[in-house]
Amino acid sequence: MVHYVKMEDGKVMPIQEMLKSIERYNPEHLKVIEAYVEEQARENQYDLEANLACLKLYQFNPNLLNLDITYIILMKALTNFPHTDFVLCKCLLLPAQMNDETVKEIIYLADILEKCDFSLFWSRVAKNPENYQKINGFYDSIRKFVCHVVGITFQTIERGYLMRLLGNVEENVLRAWLKRYGWKEENGLVTIATQEDSIKTKHITEKIDFENLAPLMANCL
């Protein structure tokens, strides 16, 4: 669904077009942007520019601050790891947001993800699952990041360990992720199929002219 914004002159434009103009700083458009943020959570969409514009409007208009929208923006940024979206969002937070307990928890989750401590991450999420279930696709987005890290770190990984990294998933969920990445399981070990393909042998040939080498040889005499 495309969201439209009505200008003061009566003109109507798509929100993406509005965000490219000075109108992105008009607080009268905040409600439309907030509705767009909520849609991202429901429909598993993502628009970083809109989310940053929303946080910027809160900066300029602290009286309009909506913490529930802030939570959605930060959690959506988590789903886009390993990109630096969360850092960009965090830089725009007001003291009132930074001092909020839920915001503190989400920031802590971001720190855990950066350290790739996935077991701790899932245990923290499990304490308040209702917060993250509001974000459609949240769990799968984090699991995609887990698989990214596993794919660049391991050649083989113990099957049970991988299941824990993915959030103590069921058998059918594990099989779905193995199929998605082409990983093979045998005797309790999962082989990362793309690891060897990413390693290429390089042949380096150096050409040195005799004229350049002669002075060096003379100095050695």
Side-chain angles (χ1 to χ4, degrees), residues 29-42:
H29 304 323
L30 182 57
K31 290 299 180 183
V32 176
I33 298 176
E34 288 177 336
Y36 184 36
V37 171
E38 291 176 323
E39 182 184 271
Q40 292 177 48
R42 291 192 306 271

Side-chain angles (χ1 to χ4, degrees), residues 191-208:
T191 301
I192 309 304
T194 59
Q195 188 72 13
E196 292 183 359
D197 295 338
S198 65
I199 302 175
K200 304 295 182 181
T201 302
K202 294 183 178 180
H203 298 280
I204 301 175
T205 303
E206 294 187 16
K207 295 182 178 180
I208 303 177

Side-chain angles (χ1 to χ4, degrees), residues 1-41:
M1 179 179 178
V2 179
H3 285 262
Y4 291 91
V5 183
K6 188 175 183 179
M7 303 293 105
E8 293 181 357
D9 58 3
K11 181 181 178 182
V12 176
M13 68 171 64
I15 190 170
Q16 286 81 5
E17 184 177 341
M18 181 272 291
L19 291 171
K20 297 177 183 179
S21 70
I22 193 66
E23 287 293 330
R24 68 182 288 156
Y25 302 110
N26 188 338
E28 294 183 1
H29 304 323
L30 182 57
K31 290 299 180 183
V32 176
I33 298 176
E34 288 177 336
Y36 184 36
V37 171
E38 291 176 323
E39 182 184 271
Q40 292 177 48

Side-chain angles (χ1 to χ4, degrees), residues 208-221:
I208 303 177
D209 295 333
F210 179 78
E211 290 79 5
N212 296 328
L213 188 60
L216 178 61
M217 296 176 63
N219 291 332
C220 294
L221 297 177

Side-chain angles (χ1 to χ4, degrees), residues 41-138:
R42 291 192 306 271
E43 304 298 330
N44 195 14
Q45 301 171 350
Y46 187 56
D47 189 331
L48 176 62
E49 279 303 312
N51 297 348
L52 293 176
C54 187
L55 293 177
K56 198 65 178 179
L57 283 171
Y58 290 155
Q59 270 194 334
F60 293 152
N61 308 273
N63 58 306
L64 300 178
L65 174 60
N66 186 325
L67 285 172
D68 288 332
I69 296 297
T70 301
Y71 304 154
I72 294 175
I73 291 173
L74 293 178
M75 286 188 286
K76 289 297 294 182
L78 284 182
T79 66
N80 208 35
F81 262 70
H83 299 287
T84 58
D85 299 15
F86 193 89
V87 175
L88 297 175
C89 292
K90 183 180 175 181
C91 290
L92 295 177
L93 296 182
L94 294 164
Q97 293 163 303
M98 293 292 290
N99 293 328
D100 180 81
E101 291 303 319
T102 301
V103 171
K104 289 180 180 179
E105 177 65 15
I106 299 173
I107 291 174
Y108 181 54
L109 289 178
D111 292 338
I112 295 172
L113 282 181
E114 287 183 354
K115 297 174 183 177
C116 298
D117 191 344
F118 300 122
S119 296
L120 177 58
F121 176 87
W122 293 117
S123 67
R124 298 291 297 198
V125 168
K127 293 182 178 180
N128 297 288
E130 65 280 358
N131 291 340
Y132 311 99
Q133 291 169 353
K134 298 175 183 177
I135 311 297
N136 187 18
F138 179 82

